[in-house]
Amino acid sequence: MAGGRTLKLAAIGTAAGVFSGLFGVGGGVVIVPLLILWFSFDERRATGTSLAAIVIIAAVAVILQALYGNVHVLDGVLVGVPAVAGVLAGTWLQQRVPVEAISLLFALLMVVIAAHLVLG
Amino acid sequence: MIEAAALGLAAGLVAGMLGVGGGILFVPALTLGVGLSQLDAEATSLLAVVPVALVGAWRQERYGNVAIRDAAVIGALSGLGVLAGVALANALPTRALKIGFAGLLLVTAFQLTRHAIGSLREKRTLREKRSRLERRA
């Protein structure tokens, strides 16, 4: 049974790793739903655990991408450091703004960017 | 330079507010805002994801929301996937990479929409329950 759990965690790690390396994201898009589906985590616990796993996954992925010479370190730092402040402000704001409306707005924006990527 | 910082701040703000990872926003910010190629934007986005995830995990840990052992196993066993993903990203033509990323954007947009609708429904049910209770009282 413990082996089964490790196997499932390995499957989650591998899938998230592919997403992270291929698309430059953390892989939360696969980790969170799978933790909920396979281990019945509630959403908060799935998100928290996913974030901790992403630290390792993204660190490994960025090192590998750097070996290929694709990482613009200055840009990464310039985006990453203010982003930390942004995330903190965002989680605070979450309790004070209509998140649903903003979610729908950004979902729409993502569809527009997706269309731009495919057509542009 | 200021542009990159401003975009980072904005992407972080939205990521924190919506509960999505930063990467899905950093990549378009780096291509459309800073002018990096799709591949370089993806690679550079990862560098920004690390501190954001670190701070997020640290905050969640204080609330007891991190299954730290499971997270460590997922991270430790992600290597093969990461290796395959990075190799694939470097092998694929830009066009394929863009179409794949567009697919990821659509999946995320779908998840966000479903989540928002679920949350709105929940609020309405709560409101109805409350008003029914008030009427009874």
Side-chain angles (χ1 to χ4, degrees):
Chain A
M1 207 57 215
R5 187 181 182 90
T6 307
L7 212 62
K8 280 180 182 168
L9 290 173
I12 295 175
T14 304
V18 172
F19 268 76
S20 181
L22 185 55
F23 295 127
V25 296
V29 70
V30 292
I31 302 175
V32 172
L34 287 177
L35 283 177
I36 292 172
L37 188 69
W38 285 348
F39 299 119
S40 342
F41 276 24
D42 65 47
E43 207 181 296
R44 273 173 202 285
R45 194 163 176 77
T47 308
T49 304
S50 167
L51 281 168
I54 285 170
V55 176
I56 306 171
I57 297 170
V60 175
V62 78
I63 289 168
L64 287 174
Q65 282 285 18
L67 293 178
Y68 279 94
N70 299 327
V71 178
H72 297 235
V73 176
L74 185 63
D75 285 328
V77 172
L78 278 175
V79 169
V81 173
V84 170
V87 168
L88 295 178
T91 40
W92 178 83
L93 215 61
Q94 201 179 33
Q95 319 295 327
R96 293 159 180 87
V97 294
V99 175
E100 291 87 0
I102 297 170
S103 289
L104 293 174
L105 205 67
F106 266 88
L108 191 67
L109 180 67
M110 285 174 181
V111 173
V112 171
I113 298 174
H116 176 85
L117 276 171
V118 172
L119 304 172
Chain B
M1 230 169 104
I2 291 166
E3 210 165 39
L7 284 168
L9 186 71
L13 194 69
V14 176
M17 207 155 46
L18 304 188
V20 300
I24 195 82
L25 300 164
F26 295 149
V27 175
L30 285 165
T31 52
L32 302 172
V34 183
L36 298 189
S37 72
Q38 182 71 22
L39 178 61
D40 286 9
E42 291 188 6
T44 304
S45 156
L46 290 165
L47 193 60
V49 167
V50 175
V52 167
L54 191 65
V55 170
W58 170 68
R59 281 170 66 95
Q60 291 297 322
E61 211 274 322
R62 284 159 61 212
Y63 294 113
N65 289 329
V66 178
I68 194 78
R69 191 198 275 271
D70 289 337
V73 175
I74 292 173
L77 299 179
S78 69
L80 268 183
V82 174
L83 205 62
V86 170
L88 202 58
N90 280 278
L92 284 175
T94 300
R95 179 98 190 113
L97 215 50
K98 280 186 175 174
I99 290 174
F101 195 83
L104 185 63
L105 277 166
L106 291 180
V107 170
T108 308
F110 175 74
Q111 283 185 349
L112 267 179
T113 305
R114 205 177 48 177
H115 202 263
I117 290 172
S119 159
L120 283 174
R121 277 215 188 107
E122 216 168 88
K123 278 184 185 167
R124 197 180 55 191
T125 315
L126 271 175
R127 257 204 315 274
E128 279 169 3
K129 251 187 214 159
R130 198 179 305 147
S131 68
R132 230 176 305 155
L133 279 172
E134 276 166 5
R135 240 176 288 146
R136 213 177 296 164

